[in-house]
């Protein structure tokens, strides 16, 4: 442990990675038709054990070992049959090296020896790729039926083959239902919140109803919306409006009270009128609350539109494809839709979060300072 | 001439959950145009409350109060005063110059007028060069100076200042005190100034109002006969020390010795 310069956890991971690689190597040696690349890769993994007897090695070598073993393993996976037992050692080894690499990398970032900006991105990337690789190996290596869980490569192939369908579904669900519904719902929530804030009557009457409504499973209204607005995207957008309205209403009402007493007193000493106080003080102070609602709603809107399509739709749309795909056992396509939805949802959320950083730059939670 | 502030038998009682709190009782005070009035007294004696009542931020529960002969509400609506709060209360999403521009925007000044006044008041409080900074990038003392600049920007005749220099160190404080005196002399403004410091009160004021706590009342009003021209070393003269002694006596009479700040 002293020689390798590692922490306890890192030592355990290094030992695990090296020893499983060694087992993988032994397994390859005694099997008849060993894959050459995989044998070389686990050989390199086993070689890292020298750090315990000789001298510490660079953590980049751990990363290299993880990548090599993972790539070799994925390439060596047999088609249509379970993989040889010693391949499992290689998988554990790749996983241990990946973890070891990330752990050491984050240590180096903290010490400032590698730049945070670029290398910081490497950690989630390694994490995501490891997950995909494990998924690929487990589904194919253990011969999991594709109906239960297809391998990422199969989903990827489906993404490639069904580009036209996926794009049409994306336009129908995201561009036509989510975006208009989101904009209308959020704007309406904001405007009604301002009205509620201004009128004590509305505050007493509407806000409890708002809280009650937001507790209802809004998705239950989807069939009603279909009756009201028809099968096409209008009824889905209406569900999205209903889902995004209340989070925005409740958050904005809270946000409009976020300005401190002294900040309001200041406006009063200037004899500022209601609208001046609203625009120059209360709305900016409510910014963090409003963006909170915008972020919550970006996820809610997508869920709402997809699930609403389960209740009747023209023959296009992400929700339609998912519900019919499951029935027709076209599971690869279902997963491809899920992948598109995940990417679209994350990108949507990411854009809102980026705008938030620009607009509420002054807030302690964004600038990382004291209040 | 109509006094700038005139209070007769003014009283203010806060009703709270733990019962009534008398913050002001039977306050009689007249402030003439051009007066520099300091309010001094231990914490909780109602200095802030009195200033806020003048500013129409609190409503008196008894007596009458007139500002320039008007009700406090009308005076506020006529933008009769600038108020410097105990905390800077700068808006964090605005730069320093935009914070100073805030009252000017609300009162409808043209952009050229705004720029000219921002420059003048920022020079006055020695903040030139920090126009584009945000409040949270500045020290507490600089923030407070910015808040003073903001109160001066729209040129109200009455300036209400609640312990504006309380958080500043002695050197900055001395400097700002003499700047404030110069400003007062030049502009003929009327200033109400809350302070904890006897030398500060005597150095600045034409009139010192000594207050005592529970229930908040005025125990003494001391007219200062010091000349208008006041170099900093006036603080060593016998006249100055005599007034300071009288203030100290007033504070002592108003309350037990230990609690005098
Ligand atoms: N909004 C309020 N509600 C209830 N009590 C208050 C309020 N504001 C001030 N007080 C009470 O009034 C008294 C005078 O307070 P204040 O004017 O702030 O004193 P000072 O500024 O001289 O320290 C104190 O006892 C304080 O607790
Ligand atoms: Mg006070």
């Amino acid at each position: 442990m002293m020689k390798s310069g590692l922490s306890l956890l890192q030592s355990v991971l290094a030992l695990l990675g090296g020893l499983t690689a060694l087992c993988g190597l032994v397994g390859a040696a005694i099997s008849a038709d060993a894959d050459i690349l995989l044998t070389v890769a686990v050989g390199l993994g086993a070689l890292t054990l020298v750090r315990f007897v000789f001298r510490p090695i660079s953590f980049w070598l751990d990363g290299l070992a993880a990548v090599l073993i993972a790539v070799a393993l994925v390439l060596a996976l047999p088609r249509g049959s379970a993989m040889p037992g010693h391949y499992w050692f290689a998988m554990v080894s790749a996983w241990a090296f990946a973890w070891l690499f990330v752990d050491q990398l984050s240590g180096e970032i903290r010490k400032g020896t590698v730049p945070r900006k670029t290398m910081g991105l490497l950690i989630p990337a390694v994490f995501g790729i490891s997950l995909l690789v494990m998924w690929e190996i487990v589904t194919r290596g253990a011969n999991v039926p594709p109906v239960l869980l297809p391998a990422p490569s199969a989903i990827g192939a489906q993404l490639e083959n069904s580009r036209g369908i996926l794009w049409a579904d994306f336009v129908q669900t995201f561009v036509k239902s989510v975006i208009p519904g989101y904009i209308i719902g959020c704007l309406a929530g904001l405007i009604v919140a301002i009205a509620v804030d201004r009128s004590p009557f509305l505050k007493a009457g509407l806000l409890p109803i708002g809280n009650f409504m937001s507790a209802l499973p809004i998705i239950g209204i989807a069939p009603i919306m279909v009756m009201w607005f028809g099968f096409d995207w209008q009824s889905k957008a209406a569900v999205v409006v209903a889902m995004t309205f209340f989070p925005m209403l409740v958050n904005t009402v809270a946000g409009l009270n976020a300005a401190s007493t002294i900040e309001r007193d200041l406006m009063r000493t200037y004899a500022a009128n209601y609208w001046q106080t609203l625009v120059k003080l209360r709305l900016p102070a409510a910014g963090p609350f409003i963006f909170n609602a915008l972020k919550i709603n970006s996820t809610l809107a997508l869920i709402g539109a997809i699930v609403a399509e389960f209740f009747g739709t023209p023959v296009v749309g992400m929700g339609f494809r998912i519900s019919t795909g499951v029935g027709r056992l076209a599971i690869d396509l279902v997963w491809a839709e899920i992948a598109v939805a995940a990417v679209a949802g994350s990108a949507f959320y990411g854009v809102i979060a980026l705008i938030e950083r620009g607009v509420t730059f002054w807030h302690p939670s964004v600038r990382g300072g004291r209040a | 001439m109509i006094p700038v502030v005139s209070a007769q038998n003014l009283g203010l009682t806060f009703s709270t959950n733990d019962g009534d709190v008398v913050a002001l009782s039977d306050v009689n005070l007249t402030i003439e145009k051009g007066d520099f009035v300091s309010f001094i007294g231990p914490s909780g004696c109602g200095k802030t409350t009195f200033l806020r009542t003048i500013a129409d931020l609190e409503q008196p529960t008894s007596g009458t109060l007139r500002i320039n002969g008007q009700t406090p509400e009308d005076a506020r609506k006529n933008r009769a005063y600038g108020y410097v709060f105990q905390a800077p209360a700068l808006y964090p999403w605005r730069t320093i110059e935009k914070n100073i521009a805030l009252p000017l925007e609300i009162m409808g000044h043209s952009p050229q007028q705004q720029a000219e006044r921002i420059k003048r008041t920022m020079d006055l409080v020695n903040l030139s060069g920090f126009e584009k900074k945000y409040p949270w990038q500045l020290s507490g003392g600089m923030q407070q100076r910015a808040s003073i600049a903001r109160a001066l920007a729209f040129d109200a005749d009455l300036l209400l200042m609640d312990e504006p220099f309380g958080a500043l160190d002695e050197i900055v404080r001395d400097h700002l005190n003499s700047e404030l005196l110069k400003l007062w002399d030049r502009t003929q403004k009327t200033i109400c100034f809350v302070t904890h410091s006897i030398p500060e009160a005597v150095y600045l004021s034409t009139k010192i109002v000594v207050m005592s706590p529970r229930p908040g009342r005025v125990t003494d009003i001391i007219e200062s006969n010091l000349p208008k021209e006041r170099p900093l070393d006036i603080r060593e003269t016998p006249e100055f020390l005599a007034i300071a002694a009288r203030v100290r006596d007033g504070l002592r009479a108003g309350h037990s010795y230990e609690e005098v700040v």
Side-chain angles (χ1 to χ4, degrees):
Chain A
M1 205 190 289
M2 300 318 299
K3 264 199 181 117
S4 58
L6 301 174
S7 72
L8 182 61
L9 171 73
Q10 289 168 349
S11 304
V12 171
L13 287 170
L15 207 56
L16 181 68
L19 289 179
T20 47
L22 195 60
C23 294
L25 189 62
V26 171
I30 57 178
S31 74
D33 50 346
D35 183 84
I36 296 172
L37 187 58
L38 184 58
T39 311
V40 172
V42 289
L44 183 85
L47 218 56
T48 62
L49 284 172
V50 301
R51 82 176 102 210
F52 290 102
V53 289
F54 188 46
R55 56 181 293 261
I57 61 174
S58 161
F59 68 98
W60 293 107
L61 277 179
D62 290 317
L64 183 68
V67 170
L68 266 182
I69 298 174
V71 168
L73 188 54
V74 170
L75 289 178
L77 279 178
R79 303 220 162 258
S81 64
M83 64 183 182
H86 65 268
Y87 281 25
W88 291 106
F89 286 116
M91 188 189 89
V92 174
S93 175
W95 167 80
F97 280 123
W99 187 351
L100 179 60
F101 170 70
V102 167
D103 203 75
Q104 293 179 96
L105 179 63
S106 65
E108 298 295 322
I109 288 176
R110 234 175 295 126
K111 272 189 274 171
T113 42
V114 296
R116 174 179 296 271
K117 274 254 162 59
T118 46
M119 292 303 148
L121 285 176
L122 208 56
I123 294 176
V126 169
F127 199 82
I129 293 170
S130 303
L131 213 65
L132 283 178
V133 168
M134 301 262 287
W135 179 355
E136 180 81 25
I137 294 169
V138 170
T139 46
R140 278 174 61 194
N143 226 355
V144 176
V147 174
L148 286 186
L149 187 66
S153 59
I155 297 171
Q158 190 61 249
L159 275 171
E160 185 62 32
N161 295 338
S162 316
R163 270 216 303 258
I165 293 178
L166 292 170
W167 175 250
D169 290 347
F170 173 79
V171 169
Q172 172 75 15
T173 303
F174 198 84
V175 179
K176 287 190 187 162
S177 308
V178 171
I179 300 283
Y182 178 82
I183 291 174
I184 296 171
C186 290
L187 261 183
L190 188 73
I191 290 167
V192 173
I194 291 169
V196 163
D197 174 80
R198 184 131 206 222
S199 139
F201 167 70
L202 285 180
K203 199 170 208 152
L206 203 63
L207 214 51
I209 297 179
N211 283 322
F212 175 70
M213 291 285 283
S214 59
L216 287 179
I218 294 289
I219 210 65
I221 64 172
I224 298 170
M225 291 297 168
V226 170
M227 282 200 284
W228 286 358
F229 298 104
F231 274 105
D232 210 349
W233 57 268
Q234 290 88 341
S235 59
K236 308 334 174 247
V239 171
V240 174
V241 169
M243 283 188 83
T244 53
F245 177 77
F246 293 109
M248 182 54 96
L249 173 68
V250 174
N251 268 282
T252 308
V253 168
L256 286 173
N257 292 317
S260 67
T261 314
I262 193 167
E263 287 171 331
R264 286 158 202 259
D265 281 348
L266 187 71
M267 279 295 183
R268 208 171 135 82
T269 67
Y270 301 149
N273 65 31
Y274 169 80
W275 291 105
Q276 288 171 328
T277 308
L278 183 71
V279 170
K280 292 186 192 297
L281 170 61
R282 299 179 66 207
L283 277 179
F289 289 79
I290 294 172
F291 271 102
N292 204 20
L294 286 174
K295 286 193 291 187
I296 296 170
N297 281 347
S298 71
T299 16
L300 278 183
L302 192 58
I303 296 171
I306 290 177
V307 178
E309 285 179 355
F310 293 177
F311 298 92
T313 175
V315 290
V316 62
M318 300 165 91
F320 164 79
R321 202 72 59 200
I322 290 172
S323 61
T324 54
V326 169
R328 295 191 349 239
L329 293 184
I331 301 298
D332 290 0
L333 189 56
V334 171
W335 279 95
E337 290 284 2
I338 291 173
V340 172
V343 171
S346 312
F348 194 15
Y349 187 95
V351 167
I352 304 285
L354 267 183
I355 298 174
E356 177 185 31
R357 288 189 72 85
V359 175
T360 62
F361 64 92
W362 52 271
H363 196 257
S365 68
V366 175
R367 64 184 156 86
R370 56 210 153 83
Chain B
M1 208 162 80
I2 304 170
V4 177
V5 176
S6 123
Q8 268 130 36
N9 309 319
L10 191 72
L12 197 159
T13 305
F14 289 109
S15 26
T16 66
N17 292 337
D18 319 327
D20 289 354
V21 179
V22 179
L24 295 173
S25 75
D26 204 23
V27 172
N28 290 289
L29 183 68
T30 306
I31 298 173
E32 303 291 348
K33 180 159 173 46
D35 272 351
F36 195 126
V37 185
S38 283
F39 295 82
I40 191 165
S43 294
C45 70
K47 308 181 293 291
T48 297
T49 305
F50 187 58
L51 232 55
R52 287 175 63 85
T53 313
I54 295 175
D56 189 37
L57 296 173
E58 306 287 358
Q59 311 307 319
T61 45
S62 63
T64 55
L65 179 63
R66 287 288 171 274
I67 316 297
N68 301 323
Q70 301 171 314
T71 62
E73 185 180 3
D74 287 339
R76 176 174 64 81
K77 291 194 167 148
N78 290 329
R79 280 113 184 203
Y81 64 85
Y83 199 116
V84 180
F85 291 89
Q86 222 165 332
L90 300 163
Y91 292 177
W93 51 86
R94 284 177 171 250
T95 59
I96 295 300
E97 64 175 3
K98 284 291 171 195
N99 266 288
I100 297 172
L102 178 70
L104 304 174
E105 287 170 17
I106 288 171
M107 296 173 193
H109 288 69
S110 71
Q112 296 94 304
Q113 252 177 335
Q114 290 185 21
E116 181 259 316
R117 284 173 180 234
I118 289 166
K119 181 168 177 356
R120 181 159 53 82
T121 49
M122 289 202 61
D123 282 348
L124 207 62
V125 296
N126 269 328
L127 271 182
S128 307
F130 294 94
E131 288 84 357
K132 307 283 183 213
K133 293 276 185 214
Y134 285 92
W136 29 272
Q137 296 171 319
L138 265 50
S139 72
M142 291 164 103
Q143 290 181 20
Q144 192 58 329
R145 269 143 66 196
S147 85
I148 293 170
R150 183 180 57 188
L152 292 173
F154 57 100
D155 238 348
D157 286 334
L158 173 61
L159 207 52
L160 306 172
M161 306 176 89
D162 192 354
E163 298 190 40
F165 307 145
L168 306 188
D169 62 70
E170 199 88 16
I171 297 160
V172 178
R173 201 173 169 138
D174 277 352
H175 172 75
L176 287 178
N177 277 341
S178 52
E179 286 301 314
L180 187 60
L181 268 188
K182 276 190 217 144
L183 176 99
W184 167 69
D185 189 28
R186 203 166 54 232
T187 57
Q188 300 293 303
K189 281 187 198 302
T190 312
I191 298 181
C192 295
F193 187 94
V194 172
T195 179
H196 264 126
S197 151
I198 297 174
E200 189 172 67
V202 180
Y203 175 70
L204 291 172
S205 315
T206 57
K207 197 182 248 183
I208 300 161
V209 178
V210 182
M211 298 181 73
S212 85
R214 276 173 299 247
R217 48 175 84 238
V218 173
T219 48
D220 198 3
I221 299 175
I222 302 161
E223 303 276 349
S224 165
N225 49 9
L226 295 176
K228 251 195 148 176
E229 194 68 34
R230 297 179 189 181
L232 277 171
D233 53 20
I234 200 170
R235 292 180 293 191
E236 271 92 60
T237 62
E239 293 84 357
F240 185 98
L241 295 173
I243 298 171
R246 208 181 135 190
V247 175
R248 193 165 287 116
D249 287 344
L251 287 169
R252 217 170 281 175
H255 207 68
S256 69
Y257 181 68
E258 294 79 39
E259 281 197 45
V260 174
V261 179

